[in-house]
Amino acid sequence: MKKYILGIFAVAVLASCKSQQEKALRSADKNFILKTANENFAKKKWKNALALYDRLPNLVAGTDDAPNVVFNSAYANYYDKNYRLAGNQFKNFSVSFPQDNRKEEAAYMSALCYYNGSMDYNLDQSSTELAINELQEFLNNYPNSERSKNINTMIDELSYKLEFKAYENAKQYYKMADYKASVTTFENVLNDFPSTKLRPKIYDYIMKSRYSLAVGSTYELKDERIESALAFTRQVEKELPNTEYSKTALDLRQKLEKEKKDFVVAKKQMDEKIAVLTAKQKKIADKLAEQNKTEEQIKEQISNEKKATQMRRDSAVLTTPPPAATFKIQR
C-alpha cells in the first residue's frame, strides 16, 4: 500500500512538472518562463531548461536578466554536450558583457567547449584546429589566470591529435607500397610538427621507404636512390643510437651496401653491352652512310652525264648551218 501511494505521488509530481513546463512553453510571461527555466537548470534538466531559455533572449534583452540567460543557456548546452553551440554562447557572453565578473570564466569555458568538441583523429580536424586557436587566445588574454595552468597541456594533446592524423595518412602510402609518396608525406609531418614525439617511428618508415625505393628502382635512378637510402640509415644511427631503429638502420645499410656492389657489377656489364651495341650501331650507320654516299655519287654521275649529253645536243644545233636556198623554176 505504501509503495502504491508513493507511486501515485511520483506520477502526480511528474504530471505537475510536465504541466508547469508546458505552461511555460505557452506563456508570454517573462518572469514565469525565466523562473521555470532556472528551476529546470537547478534540477539539471538541461533540455527542458534550454527549451525555455531559447524563448527568453528577446524578452530579456536590455534587462539585468539578459547576462544570466546567456550564461545559464551556455552551461546547459555544455552539460548537454552541445559543445559547439555552448562554446559560441560563452564566447558571445564574454564579448557582449565585458564588465561582467564572469567574463574570464566564460572565455575559459568557451575554449573548454571547443576542446571537448574536438573530433577523433580519424575524422575532420577543423574542430581541433579551432580549439587550439581558442585555447591559445585564452592563454594570451589571461596569462596569469589559475585556469591557464592546464591550457598548455590541452593544446599539446590537441596538437598530438593533428600529428597523429598526419602520421596515419602518411602510413597509408607506405601500406599501398607508394614509397615515393610515403617519403614525401612523412617528411611533411616532420616539417609541420618539428617537435613531434612520433619522430622515431617516422624515421623508421622513411628509412624503409627509401630502402624499398632503392631496391626496386629503375636503372637510371638506382645509384642515386641507393646513396640517398644509405645516407638516411646513417642519420638514423646518429640520432637514435642504441635503439631498435638504429638496429634496423644497420641491417638495411648492410643490405644496401650489398645492393650497391651488385649494382656496380651489373652496371659495368650493362655499360659493356651498351658499348658493344653502340659500336655495332655505329658500324651499321657508317655502312649505311657509305652506301648512301655511293648512291648519291652514282646519281650525281648519271645527272652529270645527262647534262653533258644535253649540252652536246644543244651545241650541235647551234653549229649546224641552215640548208641552202632553193628556187622553183617557172614553167
PDB file of all heavy atoms in Angstrom, residues 20 31 67 83-84 88 108 126 135 156 179 182 216 225 247 250 256 267 271 290 311-313 320 324 330:
ATOM      1  N   GLN A  20       3.763  22.337 -15.641  1.00  0.00           N
ATOM      2  CA  GLN A  20       4.414  23.632 -15.491  1.00  0.00           C
ATOM      3  C   GLN A  20       5.320  23.931 -16.694  1.00  0.00           C
ATOM      4  O   GLN A  20       5.364  25.067 -17.174  1.00  0.00           O
ATOM      5  CB  GLN A  20       5.245  23.660 -14.204  1.00  0.00           C
ATOM      6  CG  GLN A  20       5.891  25.022 -13.947  1.00  0.00           C
ATOM      7  CD  GLN A  20       6.519  25.111 -12.576  1.00  0.00           C
ATOM      8  OE1 GLN A  20       6.239  24.282 -11.714  1.00  0.00           O
ATOM      9  NE2 GLN A  20       7.329  26.116 -12.354  1.00  0.00           N
ATOM     10  N   ASN A  31       8.752  36.493 -16.575  1.00  0.00           N
ATOM     11  CA  ASN A  31       9.191  36.070 -15.236  1.00  0.00           C
ATOM     12  C   ASN A  31       8.864  34.596 -14.976  1.00  0.00           C
ATOM     13  O   ASN A  31       9.661  33.871 -14.379  1.00  0.00           O
ATOM     14  CB  ASN A  31       8.535  36.949 -14.169  1.00  0.00           C
ATOM     15  CG  ASN A  31       9.039  38.388 -14.250  1.00  0.00           C
ATOM     16  OD1 ASN A  31      10.193  38.624 -14.590  1.00  0.00           O
ATOM     17  ND2 ASN A  31       8.167  39.343 -13.934  1.00  0.00           N
ATOM     18  N   PRO A  67      22.260  38.760 -19.071  1.00  0.00           N
ATOM     19  CA  PRO A  67      23.513  38.005 -18.901  1.00  0.00           C
ATOM     20  C   PRO A  67      23.303  36.607 -18.336  1.00  0.00           C
ATOM     21  O   PRO A  67      23.924  35.643 -18.787  1.00  0.00           O
ATOM     22  CB  PRO A  67      24.323  38.885 -17.939  1.00  0.00           C
ATOM     23  CG  PRO A  67      23.755  40.244 -18.083  1.00  0.00           C
ATOM     24  CD  PRO A  67      22.299  40.045 -18.339  1.00  0.00           C
ATOM     25  N   TYR A  83      28.663  21.016 -27.460  1.00  0.00           N
ATOM     26  CA  TYR A  83      29.866  21.808 -27.186  1.00  0.00           C
ATOM     27  C   TYR A  83      30.058  22.973 -28.149  1.00  0.00           C
ATOM     28  O   TYR A  83      30.478  24.055 -27.740  1.00  0.00           O
ATOM     29  CB  TYR A  83      31.092  20.893 -27.214  1.00  0.00           C
ATOM     30  CG  TYR A  83      31.074  19.834 -26.149  1.00  0.00           C
ATOM     31  CD1 TYR A  83      31.132  18.477 -26.477  1.00  0.00           C
ATOM     32  CD2 TYR A  83      30.983  20.172 -24.807  1.00  0.00           C
ATOM     33  CE1 TYR A  83      31.111  17.492 -25.498  1.00  0.00           C
ATOM     34  CE2 TYR A  83      30.963  19.199 -23.811  1.00  0.00           C
ATOM     35  CZ  TYR A  83      31.027  17.857 -24.174  1.00  0.00           C
ATOM     36  OH  TYR A  83      31.004  16.895 -23.205  1.00  0.00           O
ATOM     37  N   ARG A  84      29.783  22.758 -29.415  1.00  0.00           N
ATOM     38  CA  ARG A  84      29.995  23.839 -30.391  1.00  0.00           C
ATOM     39  C   ARG A  84      29.076  25.027 -30.096  1.00  0.00           C
ATOM     40  O   ARG A  84      29.514  26.180 -30.086  1.00  0.00           O
ATOM     41  CB  ARG A  84      29.759  23.303 -31.807  1.00  0.00           C
ATOM     42  CG  ARG A  84      30.193  24.251 -32.927  1.00  0.00           C
ATOM     43  CD  ARG A  84      31.702  24.424 -32.910  1.00  0.00           C
ATOM     44  NE  ARG A  84      32.167  25.214 -34.021  1.00  0.00           N
ATOM     45  CZ  ARG A  84      32.591  24.691 -35.173  1.00  0.00           C
ATOM     46  NH1 ARG A  84      32.598  23.380 -35.351  1.00  0.00           N
ATOM     47  NH2 ARG A  84      33.020  25.467 -36.139  1.00  0.00           N
ATOM     48  N   ASN A  88      30.112  28.826 -28.588  1.00  0.00           N
ATOM     49  CA  ASN A  88      29.702  30.095 -29.214  1.00  0.00           C
ATOM     50  C   ASN A  88      28.971  30.994 -28.219  1.00  0.00           C
ATOM     51  O   ASN A  88      29.155  32.218 -28.211  1.00  0.00           O
ATOM     52  CB  ASN A  88      28.802  29.823 -30.424  1.00  0.00           C
ATOM     53  CG  ASN A  88      29.569  29.216 -31.579  1.00  0.00           C
ATOM     54  OD1 ASN A  88      30.778  29.403 -31.697  1.00  0.00           O
ATOM     55  ND2 ASN A  88      28.888  28.486 -32.446  1.00  0.00           N
ATOM     56  N   TYR A 108      37.108  31.054 -20.636  1.00  0.00           N
ATOM     57  CA  TYR A 108      37.714  29.739 -20.388  1.00  0.00           C
ATOM     58  C   TYR A 108      36.772  28.615 -20.825  1.00  0.00           C
ATOM     59  O   TYR A 108      37.189  27.650 -21.469  1.00  0.00           O
ATOM     60  CB  TYR A 108      38.050  29.592 -18.907  1.00  0.00           C
ATOM     61  CG  TYR A 108      38.558  28.211 -18.558  1.00  0.00           C
ATOM     62  CD1 TYR A 108      39.856  27.825 -18.855  1.00  0.00           C
ATOM     63  CD2 TYR A 108      37.706  27.290 -17.936  1.00  0.00           C
ATOM     64  CE1 TYR A 108      40.320  26.552 -18.542  1.00  0.00           C
ATOM     65  CE2 TYR A 108      38.164  26.012 -17.618  1.00  0.00           C
ATOM     66  CZ  TYR A 108      39.465  25.653 -17.924  1.00  0.00           C
ATOM     67  OH  TYR A 108      39.916  24.393 -17.630  1.00  0.00           O
ATOM     68  N   SER A 126      39.067  20.140 -38.380  1.00  0.00           N
ATOM     69  CA  SER A 126      38.864  21.591 -38.328  1.00  0.00           C
ATOM     70  C   SER A 126      38.445  22.020 -36.919  1.00  0.00           C
ATOM     71  O   SER A 126      38.823  23.099 -36.449  1.00  0.00           O
ATOM     72  CB  SER A 126      37.811  22.020 -39.354  1.00  0.00           C
ATOM     73  OG  SER A 126      36.584  21.336 -39.130  1.00  0.00           O
ATOM     74  N   LEU A 135      42.029  28.062 -27.288  1.00  0.00           N
ATOM     75  CA  LEU A 135      42.828  27.870 -26.070  1.00  0.00           C
ATOM     76  C   LEU A 135      44.017  28.833 -26.039  1.00  0.00           C
ATOM     77  O   LEU A 135      44.335  29.413 -24.993  1.00  0.00           O
ATOM     78  CB  LEU A 135      43.329  26.421 -26.005  1.00  0.00           C
ATOM     79  CG  LEU A 135      42.260  25.365 -25.699  1.00  0.00           C
ATOM     80  CD1 LEU A 135      42.797  23.968 -25.996  1.00  0.00           C
ATOM     81  CD2 LEU A 135      41.806  25.454 -24.250  1.00  0.00           C
ATOM     82  N   ASP A 156      48.780  20.787 -26.173  1.00  0.00           N
ATOM     83  CA  ASP A 156      49.682  19.685 -26.559  1.00  0.00           C
ATOM     84  C   ASP A 156      48.888  18.444 -26.960  1.00  0.00           C
ATOM     85  O   ASP A 156      49.233  17.758 -27.929  1.00  0.00           O
ATOM     86  CB  ASP A 156      50.630  19.340 -25.411  1.00  0.00           C
ATOM     87  CG  ASP A 156      51.682  20.413 -25.182  1.00  0.00           C
ATOM     88  OD1 ASP A 156      51.887  21.240 -26.095  1.00  0.00           O
ATOM     89  OD2 ASP A 156      52.302  20.427 -24.095  1.00  0.00           O
ATOM     90  N   TYR A 179      56.048   4.213 -52.187  1.00  0.00           N
ATOM     91  CA  TYR A 179      57.141   4.620 -51.305  1.00  0.00           C
ATOM     92  C   TYR A 179      57.598   6.060 -51.544  1.00  0.00           C
ATOM     93  O   TYR A 179      58.027   6.731 -50.604  1.00  0.00           O
ATOM     94  CB  TYR A 179      58.307   3.647 -51.456  1.00  0.00           C
ATOM     95  CG  TYR A 179      57.930   2.233 -51.096  1.00  0.00           C
ATOM     96  CD1 TYR A 179      57.978   1.205 -52.044  1.00  0.00           C
ATOM     97  CD2 TYR A 179      57.499   1.923 -49.819  1.00  0.00           C
ATOM     98  CE1 TYR A 179      57.597  -0.087 -51.712  1.00  0.00           C
ATOM     99  CE2 TYR A 179      57.113   0.624 -49.484  1.00  0.00           C
ATOM    100  CZ  TYR A 179      57.168  -0.380 -50.443  1.00  0.00           C
ATOM    101  OH  TYR A 179      56.797  -1.649 -50.112  1.00  0.00           O
ATOM    102  N   SER A 182      55.170   8.096 -49.750  1.00  0.00           N
ATOM    103  CA  SER A 182      55.377   7.836 -48.321  1.00  0.00           C
ATOM    104  C   SER A 182      56.493   8.716 -47.774  1.00  0.00           C
ATOM    105  O   SER A 182      56.334   9.359 -46.724  1.00  0.00           O
ATOM    106  CB  SER A 182      55.722   6.358 -48.111  1.00  0.00           C
ATOM    107  OG  SER A 182      56.101   6.111 -46.776  1.00  0.00           O
ATOM    108  N   GLY A 216      63.948  -1.383 -55.574  1.00  0.00           N
ATOM    109  CA  GLY A 216      63.047  -1.555 -56.718  1.00  0.00           C
ATOM    110  C   GLY A 216      63.153  -0.473 -57.764  1.00  0.00           C
ATOM    111  O   GLY A 216      62.259  -0.319 -58.598  1.00  0.00           O
ATOM    112  N   ARG A 225      69.343   6.645 -55.633  1.00  0.00           N
ATOM    113  CA  ARG A 225      68.445   6.251 -54.546  1.00  0.00           C
ATOM    114  C   ARG A 225      69.148   5.367 -53.515  1.00  0.00           C
ATOM    115  O   ARG A 225      68.813   5.425 -52.326  1.00  0.00           O
ATOM    116  CB  ARG A 225      67.223   5.548 -55.133  1.00  0.00           C
ATOM    117  CG  ARG A 225      66.260   6.531 -55.803  1.00  0.00           C
ATOM    118  CD  ARG A 225      65.072   5.858 -56.407  1.00  0.00           C
ATOM    119  NE  ARG A 225      64.098   6.851 -56.873  1.00  0.00           N
ATOM    120  CZ  ARG A 225      63.001   6.557 -57.564  1.00  0.00           C
ATOM    121  NH1 ARG A 225      62.730   5.293 -57.864  1.00  0.00           N
ATOM    122  NH2 ARG A 225      62.172   7.516 -57.947  1.00  0.00           N
ATOM    123  N   LYS A 247      69.204  -0.380 -34.951  1.00  0.00           N
ATOM    124  CA  LYS A 247      69.486  -1.762 -35.349  1.00  0.00           C
ATOM    125  C   LYS A 247      68.921  -2.040 -36.741  1.00  0.00           C
ATOM    126  O   LYS A 247      69.565  -2.678 -37.577  1.00  0.00           O
ATOM    127  CB  LYS A 247      68.886  -2.729 -34.326  1.00  0.00           C
ATOM    128  CG  LYS A 247      69.562  -2.689 -32.970  1.00  0.00           C
ATOM    129  CD  LYS A 247      68.871  -3.627 -31.985  1.00  0.00           C
ATOM    130  CE  LYS A 247      69.529  -3.536 -30.606  1.00  0.00           C
ATOM    131  NZ  LYS A 247      68.843  -4.405 -29.611  1.00  0.00           N
ATOM    132  N   LEU A 250      71.166  -0.355 -39.293  1.00  0.00           N
ATOM    133  CA  LEU A 250      72.389  -1.117 -39.564  1.00  0.00           C
ATOM    134  C   LEU A 250      72.102  -2.283 -40.506  1.00  0.00           C
ATOM    135  O   LEU A 250      72.851  -2.541 -41.458  1.00  0.00           O
ATOM    136  CB  LEU A 250      72.973  -1.630 -38.253  1.00  0.00           C
ATOM    137  CG  LEU A 250      74.238  -2.502 -38.368  1.00  0.00           C
ATOM    138  CD1 LEU A 250      75.358  -1.736 -39.054  1.00  0.00           C
ATOM    139  CD2 LEU A 250      74.674  -2.992 -36.992  1.00  0.00           C
ATOM    140  N   LEU A 256      71.934  -2.590 -48.266  1.00  0.00           N
ATOM    141  CA  LEU A 256      72.132  -1.581 -49.311  1.00  0.00           C
ATOM    142  C   LEU A 256      73.563  -1.600 -49.849  1.00  0.00           C
ATOM    143  O   LEU A 256      73.784  -1.388 -51.051  1.00  0.00           O
ATOM    144  CB  LEU A 256      71.801  -0.189 -48.747  1.00  0.00           C
ATOM    145  CG  LEU A 256      70.313   0.107 -48.550  1.00  0.00           C
ATOM    146  CD1 LEU A 256      70.126   1.343 -47.685  1.00  0.00           C
ATOM    147  CD2 LEU A 256      69.613   0.300 -49.895  1.00  0.00           C
ATOM    148  N   LYS A 267      76.076  -2.757 -63.510  1.00  0.00           N
ATOM    149  CA  LYS A 267      76.227  -1.532 -64.297  1.00  0.00           C
ATOM    150  C   LYS A 267      77.408  -1.656 -65.264  1.00  0.00           C
ATOM    151  O   LYS A 267      77.334  -1.230 -66.425  1.00  0.00           O
ATOM    152  CB  LYS A 267      76.438  -0.330 -63.373  1.00  0.00           C
ATOM    153  CG  LYS A 267      76.432   1.023 -64.069  1.00  0.00           C
ATOM    154  CD  LYS A 267      76.489   2.141 -63.037  1.00  0.00           C
ATOM    155  CE  LYS A 267      76.361   3.504 -63.689  1.00  0.00           C
ATOM    156  NZ  LYS A 267      77.461   3.810 -64.603  1.00  0.00           N
ATOM    157  N   ASP A 271      77.094  -1.471 -69.093  1.00  0.00           N
ATOM    158  CA  ASP A 271      77.851  -0.483 -69.871  1.00  0.00           C
ATOM    159  C   ASP A 271      78.632  -1.145 -70.998  1.00  0.00           C
ATOM    160  O   ASP A 271      78.746  -0.594 -72.108  1.00  0.00           O
ATOM    161  CB  ASP A 271      78.806   0.286 -68.947  1.00  0.00           C
ATOM    162  CG  ASP A 271      78.061   1.225 -68.005  1.00  0.00           C
ATOM    163  OD1 ASP A 271      76.876   1.505 -68.277  1.00  0.00           O
ATOM    164  OD2 ASP A 271      78.658   1.661 -67.008  1.00  0.00           O
ATOM    165  N   GLU A 290      77.963   5.053 -96.028  1.00  0.00           N
ATOM    166  CA  GLU A 290      78.811   4.800 -97.206  1.00  0.00           C
ATOM    167  C   GLU A 290      77.961   4.415 -98.401  1.00  0.00           C
ATOM    168  O   GLU A 290      78.195   4.879 -99.525  1.00  0.00           O
ATOM    169  CB  GLU A 290      79.817   3.685 -96.874  1.00  0.00           C
ATOM    170  CG  GLU A 290      80.867   3.458 -97.946  1.00  0.00           C
ATOM    171  CD  GLU A 290      81.767   4.672 -98.127  1.00  0.00           C
ATOM    172  OE1 GLU A 290      82.001   5.398 -97.153  1.00  0.00           O
ATOM    173  OE2 GLU A 290      82.224   4.897 -99.272  1.00  0.00           O
ATOM    174  N   MET A 311      74.023  19.072-123.309  1.00  0.00           N
ATOM    175  CA  MET A 311      74.868  20.180-123.769  1.00  0.00           C
ATOM    176  C   MET A 311      75.405  19.898-125.176  1.00  0.00           C
ATOM    177  O   MET A 311      75.497  20.797-126.030  1.00  0.00           O
ATOM    178  CB  MET A 311      76.033  20.383-122.799  1.00  0.00           C
ATOM    179  CG  MET A 311      75.613  21.024-121.473  1.00  0.00           C
ATOM    180  SD  MET A 311      76.979  21.173-120.319  1.00  0.00           S
ATOM    181  CE  MET A 311      78.021  22.333-121.222  1.00  0.00           C
ATOM    182  N   ARG A 312      75.789  18.642-125.447  1.00  0.00           N
ATOM    183  CA  ARG A 312      76.282  18.285-126.792  1.00  0.00           C
ATOM    184  C   ARG A 312      75.201  18.462-127.819  1.00  0.00           C
ATOM    185  O   ARG A 312      75.440  18.966-128.930  1.00  0.00           O
ATOM    186  CB  ARG A 312      76.785  16.829-126.785  1.00  0.00           C
ATOM    187  CG  ARG A 312      78.150  16.657-126.076  1.00  0.00           C
ATOM    188  CD  ARG A 312      78.789  15.318-126.423  1.00  0.00           C
ATOM    189  NE  ARG A 312      77.990  14.200-125.976  1.00  0.00           N
ATOM    190  CZ  ARG A 312      78.073  13.655-124.781  1.00  0.00           C
ATOM    191  NH1 ARG A 312      78.958  14.128-123.888  1.00  0.00           N
ATOM    192  NH2 ARG A 312      77.322  12.626-124.443  1.00  0.00           N
ATOM    193  N   ARG A 313      73.982  18.064-127.459  1.00  0.00           N
ATOM    194  CA  ARG A 313      72.860  18.239-128.396  1.00  0.00           C
ATOM    195  C   ARG A 313      72.599  19.722-128.669  1.00  0.00           C
ATOM    196  O   ARG A 313      72.383  20.137-129.817  1.00  0.00           O
ATOM    197  CB  ARG A 313      71.605  17.582-127.813  1.00  0.00           C
ATOM    198  CG  ARG A 313      71.654  16.059-127.822  1.00  0.00           C
ATOM    199  CD  ARG A 313      70.443  15.500-127.120  1.00  0.00           C
ATOM    200  NE  ARG A 313      70.466  14.031-127.120  1.00  0.00           N
ATOM    201  CZ  ARG A 313      69.641  13.283-126.423  1.00  0.00           C
ATOM    202  NH1 ARG A 313      68.723  13.876-125.651  1.00  0.00           N
ATOM    203  NH2 ARG A 313      69.733  11.961-126.471  1.00  0.00           N
ATOM    204  N   THR A 320      75.290  23.745-136.581  1.00  0.00           N
ATOM    205  CA  THR A 320      74.849  23.212-137.897  1.00  0.00           C
ATOM    206  C   THR A 320      74.281  24.356-138.732  1.00  0.00           C
ATOM    207  O   THR A 320      73.348  25.028-138.292  1.00  0.00           O
ATOM    208  CB  THR A 320      73.786  22.123-137.706  1.00  0.00           C
ATOM    209  OG1 THR A 320      74.341  21.084-136.885  1.00  0.00           O
ATOM    210  CG2 THR A 320      73.365  21.545-139.049  1.00  0.00           C
ATOM    211  N   ALA A 324      70.850  25.206-147.897  1.00  0.00           N
ATOM    212  CA  ALA A 324      70.917  26.207-148.983  1.00  0.00           C
ATOM    213  C   ALA A 324      69.530  26.539-149.528  1.00  0.00           C
ATOM    214  O   ALA A 324      68.641  25.683-149.502  1.00  0.00           O
ATOM    215  CB  ALA A 324      71.787  25.685-150.148  1.00  0.00           C
ATOM    216  N   GLN A 330      60.091  28.373-162.969  1.00  0.00           N
ATOM    217  CA  GLN A 330      58.750  28.622-163.533  1.00  0.00           C
ATOM    218  C   GLN A 330      58.570  27.773-164.774  1.00  0.00           C
ATOM    219  O   GLN A 330      59.495  27.605-165.570  1.00  0.00           O
ATOM    220  CB  GLN A 330      58.611  30.106-163.905  1.00  0.00           C
ATOM    221  CG  GLN A 330      58.604  30.993-162.664  1.00  0.00           C
ATOM    222  CD  GLN A 330      58.414  32.447-163.028  1.00  0.00           C
ATOM    223  OE1 GLN A 330      58.442  32.782-164.260  1.00  0.00           O
ATOM    224  NE2 GLN A 330      58.209  33.281-162.055  1.00  0.00           N
TER     225      GLN A 330
END
